[in-house]
Amino acid sequence: MTVFTCKDSFEAMMTCIYAAWASGIGHDDVRLQLEPVFQRELFCTYVHVEADVQKTEKVVSAIQKKISYEAYRQVFLASVSCGEDRLDAIYRFLVLGFSVGAKLTGMLFRPEVMWVLELSRKAANEANFFREFTRFALADGIYVAHIEPKCNIVAVTAEHFADRMPSARWMIIDDQRRIAAVHPADCPFYMTELSGEELRRLKETEAEKDAYTGLWIEFFQTTGIEARKNPGCQRNHMPLWYRRHMTEFLV
Amino acid sequence: MKIASELSLQEKLHILADGAKYDVACTSSGADRRGRKGCLGNAVAAGICHSFASDGRCISLLKILLTNHCIYDCKYCINRCTNDIARAAFTPREVCELTTEFYRRNYIEGLFLSSGVWNSPAFTMERLCETLYLLRNVYHFNGYIHVKAIPGAPDELLAAAGYLADRMSINLELPTGESMKKLAPNKNHNMILRPMRMMADTIAQHRLAAGKSAQMERSRSNRYLTGSIFSKERLEQTGRVAGNTQPAKTQGTKTYALQKMGKTEWKQPFVPAGQSTQMIIGATPETDYHLLRTTQYLYQNYDLKRVFYSAYVPLNEDGALPAPDTPVPLLREHRLYQADWLLRFYGFSADELLSEQRPNFNEELDPKCDWALRHLERFPVEVNTAQYETLLRVPGVGPKSALRIVQSRRYGKLDFAHLKRMGVVLKRAHYFLTCDGKMM
């Protein structure tokens, strides 16, 4: 068995898929795994693959042309989701996809297809949650938000806000992964990695309180109807772990 | 009683959010609009909730009253003129600043602006319009706005609000004229249905001018359902023909005066997210059957996007109202919403779910299960061959899983394990389904 490993980024994953395919070893004799690999198996050869823009483009355009755009959407979302074995799941999905073509995403009775659907659904649902629950605080004229999603969906979330607030300066920070989407006024946003020092300084923005923070908490507390109180229902819609960075629960 | 200007913004917000919280129509769906440079905001068709209050209801819009001063004396309402409560009023600029600043921090999806009737319906509606005008044109707010139409306000003000807001609503409050007379003595159904009719026709004309169909968009599943309340045959029975090119003229009704605004105004969206309304349940003796029939009538004849139900919360003591310790009919409200979904997404009609003989929902069972148990002769259905419409009637199968079933069975046979992963709730569904002739 040959195991192809790569870093946790979309480009690296696509390049890894390209390498595994091009190696000609045979689909049953290769496995794809994300780094870091904590425990190596006996009788396996490990091959590290570096991200390559051209190979990524080749894989992406092949998926879009030979399978479908919907398949590409699912692959992208699955790649940012949080399953340990998602890279191998995508590979198996594509192996089947390149043989059956556009009907791939409809073949839900095949475990490969269902697996990727579930992963992509997880990422899409989480991105949707953070569209709702991301909270910005105003610090020095910049709106700063901190989130800690399970899937790597900062960029997906930032796309939504780029359309919503095109002329404002804002940034969304993933505290766990130490990455941020930064949006200057009237420009497209870009992704950047943060150093420990930068992250520490940016964390201070969360304590920032202004008049509207207080007003929002006032509104939030007033608008619930006492006679209908239902914390179970509230938790169902908004699980506790999402509330970590939400203004109304920081009091 | 304090005078409004003495209050701080926080006190005002407390009073006016408290006064608005009993209104239930707080969704941000129906409008789809991209953001624009220099403006703030966009709108997403599915709507976005931003938080959930302690009662489990979503907070999507900044739901406030412009003022809780009111000249009316509706018995059930906390803001009625005979109640001795703290009164306040926002200035239009205060509303605009709250909305835009909350929006930038992603607390809310837009504004829900309602108001007590201040001096007169016309005066109140004018203040509402002024606020919306400022918000759209001075604060360049491009997000979602839901505004209440004040019954009895002049047509031109309602029309002006229609060009500024995404959704408008007039609350029907009570489904019968008698209940209305008893509990809302200053209002009558004509005051509510006339503007609702005109609004519906004006929306239809603008949709036609923009090259869309006259009817509002409905869930896509409806196009595969022959018995849907929105199907062409059913709408023809009601006299409002689907795809009618000139709804206003053939009906002989009036629309809001557009001719003054010149030709181009036709292309401007008018209430793009449609109208909604709400009814109070539990304060008057109407049955579920009556409420559901009214709901269906409003969907078909007024093309409303949503009808909301508000379980009556006892706030005032009054001989005409239920006793103050009456429990809030939350389960009944829940059953009505379930039935409302069955009308809009599942192709059911009110008469299939309830009848004169069975006028109320079963509290133990949801309406769809209840229907299935009364029609056991139709089950079980075979997953690998049944029509979409038939699958959708199975308890535990929704529009999404039914669609997944019909898409994937083209390429291979399905069994119960596949259904489970597709999202079918087997706990309920397995009594009503077979896979390749076998039960689970």
Side-chain angles (χ1 to χ4, degrees):
Chain A
M1 181 74 78
T2 310
V3 183
F4 289 85
T5 66
C6 68
K7 284 196 180 133
D8 185 357
S9 78
F10 182 69
E11 283 80 14
M13 284 190 223
M14 291 301 115
T15 317
C16 192
I17 287 167
Y18 185 95
W21 203 293
S23 69
I25 298 172
H27 302 312
D28 294 335
D29 296 323
V30 297
R31 207 171 69 217
L32 279 69
Q33 206 172 336
L34 285 173
E35 291 169 7
V37 180
F38 290 112
Q39 195 155 21
R40 297 198 170 208
E41 284 177 36
L42 280 175
F43 315 116
C44 279
T45 327
Y46 284 81
V47 182
H48 169 78
V49 182
E50 271 301 317
D52 180 302
V53 178
Q54 276 182 339
K55 287 175 183 170
T56 303
E57 273 170 15
K58 275 185 191 167
V59 176
V60 168
S61 92
I63 299 173
Q64 290 178 348
K65 281 182 192 146
K66 293 184 182 159
I67 308 176
S68 64
Y69 189 79
E70 171 60 19
Y72 171 66
R73 194 189 69 89
Q74 290 189 11
V75 165
F76 177 76
L77 285 170
S79 78
V80 298
S81 75
C82 56
E84 283 263 304
D85 41 11
R86 59 186 192 274
L87 179 54
D88 205 51
I90 295 170
Y91 186 71
R92 304 293 150 202
F93 178 76
L94 293 179
V95 168
L96 179 66
F98 286 124
S99 75
V100 299
K103 63 186 182 185
L104 173 72
T105 46
M107 296 170 76
L108 291 173
F109 49 87
R110 291 294 294 254
E112 306 89 313
V113 182
M114 197 43 138
W115 199 4
V116 166
L117 176 78
E118 281 168 351
L119 288 171
S120 67
R121 185 168 57 191
K122 190 169 187 178
N125 286 350
E126 202 172 323
N128 197 33
F129 271 127
F130 280 98
R131 231 167 268 169
E132 306 178 343
F133 301 146
T134 299
R135 295 283 182 267
F136 290 92
L138 186 59
D140 296 333
I142 301 172
Y143 292 89
V144 184
H146 291 267
I147 58 175
E148 284 180 57
K150 288 175 181 162
C151 305
N152 186 7
I153 42 83
V154 186
V156 186
T157 311
E159 220 165 289
H160 168 75
F161 288 105
D163 183 50
R164 168 155 294 201
M165 305 195 284
S167 301
R169 296 197 291 163
W170 49 263
M171 63 196 294
I172 304 174
I173 302 159
D174 184 336
D175 285 6
Q176 288 292 326
R177 293 180 181 81
R178 292 190 176 184
I179 50 173
V182 182
H183 183 273
D186 294 318
C187 289
F189 74 93
Y190 58 88
M191 302 296 297
T192 178
E193 282 187 25
L194 299 174
S195 69
E197 173 59 17
E198 283 171 325
L199 189 67
R200 196 190 57 74
R201 280 186 54 201
L202 282 165
K203 274 211 168 172
E204 288 166 12
T205 59
E206 208 160 25
E208 207 84 29
K209 295 252 181 324
D210 59 16
Y212 291 100
T213 329
L215 286 168
W216 167 242
I217 292 167
E218 176 72 53
F219 175 77
F220 177 75
Q221 288 170 350
T222 309
T223 202
I225 297 174
E226 195 52 37
R228 304 178 56 120
K229 203 169 163 69
N230 191 349
C233 182
Q234 190 190 22
R235 266 200 309 276
N236 249 352
H237 288 298
M238 188 170 51
L240 296 174
W241 75 270
Y242 284 109
R243 304 184 191 178
R244 208 170 296 158
H245 298 280
M246 290 174 72
T247 315
E248 56 267 42
F249 295 104
L250 288 176
V251 277
Chain B
M1 196 174 83
K2 283 192 191 173
I3 299 168
S5 59
E6 284 178 3
L7 296 168
S8 72
L9 189 56
Q10 182 147 0
E11 286 169 308
K12 281 191 197 178
L13 183 64
H14 179 82
I15 295 169
L16 295 169
D18 198 54
K21 71 183 176 190
Y22 298 100
D23 205 298
V24 283
C26 185
T27 55
S28 53
S29 54
D32 215 0
R33 186 165 57 236
R34 303 276 301 168
R36 281 203 308 268
K37 244 184 199 172
C39 289
L40 173 69
N42 60 7
V44 178
I48 297 179
C49 304
H50 283 266
S51 194
F52 290 86
S54 57
D55 49 18
R57 299 189 306 162
C58 97
I59 301 174
S60 159
L61 306 172
L62 173 65
K63 186 159 54 175
I64 46 171
L65 298 176
L66 192 62
T67 174
N68 62 347
H69 291 284
C70 193
I71 55 169
Y72 285 172
D73 191 26
C74 305
K75 303 283 183 244
Y76 49 82
C77 180
I78 185 85
N79 303 313
R80 62 181 185 175
C81 62
T82 48
N83 271 8
D84 181 20
I85 52 166
R87 307 265 173 185
F90 280 125
T91 63
R93 283 203 177 261
E94 282 172 339
V95 174
C96 296
E97 266 153 36
L98 271 178
T99 309
T100 49
E101 289 302 323
F102 276 11
Y103 194 87
R104 283 200 185 96
R105 289 164 175 78
N106 203 34
Y107 298 158
I108 54 165
E109 191 58 19
L111 175 66
F112 174 105
L113 192 60
S114 179
S115 180
V117 181
W118 195 4
N119 294 345
S120 72
F123 179 80
T124 316
M125 201 66 217
E126 202 178 334
R127 297 281 287 188
L128 290 174
C129 285
E130 187 191 340
T131 311
L132 298 195
Y133 185 84
L134 266 181
L135 192 55
R136 286 281 193 230
N137 297 305
V138 177
Y139 288 81
H140 301 293
F141 180 70
N142 192 35
Y144 195 89
I145 298 179
H146 179 155
V147 68
K148 284 272 160 211
I150 305 296
D155 291 348
E156 49 281 16
L157 285 174
L158 292 178
Y163 286 108
L164 296 165
D166 288 287
R167 173 167 288 180
M168 288 188 75
S169 58
I170 310 175
N171 286 350
L172 191 62
E173 309 290 17
L174 300 157
T176 58
E178 300 88 72
S179 300
M180 198 82 169
K181 207 180 256 173
K182 200 167 123 206
L183 295 187
N186 311 87
K187 295 183 189 167
N188 59 54
H189 269 168
N190 192 33
M191 263 166 90
I192 292 165
L193 293 178
R194 200 191 72 93
M196 206 188 261
R197 162 89 294 137
M198 280 178 66
M199 199 80 75
D201 289 337
T202 318
I203 293 172
Q205 293 214 333
H206 278 77
R207 289 180 59 84
L208 289 171
K212 299 178 187 164
S213 76
Q215 263 75 35
M216 298 297 294
E217 287 88 8
R218 299 290 170 182
S219 155
R220 259 200 293 176
S221 58
N222 279 303
R223 69 177 71 166
Y224 310 114
L225 303 173
T226 46
S228 157
I229 60 166
F230 305 114
S231 69
K232 202 173 171 192
E233 297 74 38
R234 296 294 288 271
L235 288 173
E236 270 166 5
Q237 285 167 14
T238 67
R240 295 191 59 79
V241 185
N244 193 343
T245 47
Q246 292 274 310
K249 279 184 188 162
T250 50
Q251 298 294 313
T253 50
K254 274 166 59 187
T255 54
Y256 289 118
L258 296 155
Q259 52 274 24
K260 286 181 203 157
M261 308 205 182
K263 256 183 187 169
T264 52
E265 294 290 337
W266 282 95
K267 297 277 175 187
Q268 216 182 314
F270 183 87
V271 198
Q275 294 190 83
S276 69
T277 193
Q278 81 165 33
M279 290 190 276
I280 299 168
I281 57 166
T284 46
E286 283 87 16
T287 61
D288 290 348
Y289 181 56
H290 195 135
L291 287 163
L292 203 61
R293 283 285 296 263
T294 311
T295 305
Q296 184 171 326
Y297 178 81
L298 290 171
Y299 283 141
Q300 291 183 323
N301 290 276
Y302 291 86
D303 206 18
L304 292 196
K305 215 36 192 167
R306 285 292 303 272
V307 175
F308 294 93
Y309 308 104
S310 168
Y312 172 70
V313 180
L315 298 166
N316 302 325
E317 277 192 54
D318 197 298
L321 289 171
D325 55 351
T326 315
V328 185
L330 292 177
L331 186 58
R332 185 173 174 209
E333 183 196 85
H334 180 58
R335 292 281 177 254
L336 279 164
Y337 274 122
Q338 286 180 317
D340 175 57
W341 250 257
L342 292 181
L343 296 187
R344 290 186 297 124
F345 294 90
Y346 290 79
F348 280 87
S349 63
D351 290 306
E352 280 180 283
L353 297 168
L354 294 170
S355 61
E356 293 283 2
Q357 290 75 40
R358 282 184 62 262
N360 289 309
F361 285 113
N362 186 342
E363 299 230 318
E364 309 282 318
L365 272 177
D366 68 79
K368 196 180 178 192
C369 259
D370 199 42
W371 177 87
L373 288 179
R374 280 185 281 118
H375 293 86
L376 285 176
E377 73 281 1
R378 301 200 187 192
F379 298 103
V381 300
E382 170 54 44
V383 171
N384 288 300
T385 54
Q387 283 190 5
Y388 177 76
E389 204 172 349
T390 321
L391 284 171
L392 210 48
R393 298 228 157 192
V394 175
V397 178
K400 211 159 195 172
S401 44
L403 194 70
R404 285 195 183 135
I405 290 172
V406 293
Q407 273 176 353
S408 57
R409 70 184 182 193
R410 292 158 66 193
Y411 310 115
K413 281 230 161 78
L414 301 179
D415 63 30
F416 283 102
H418 297 137
L419 295 185
K420 191 176 168 109
R421 292 183 81 178
M422 280 179 195
V424 174
V425 185
L426 284 183
K427 185 174 79 174
R428 284 197 289 282
H430 81 272
Y431 303 103
F432 304 98
L433 289 176
T434 58
C435 284
D436 215 9
K438 293 189 206 78
M439 302 284 288
M440 194 168 87

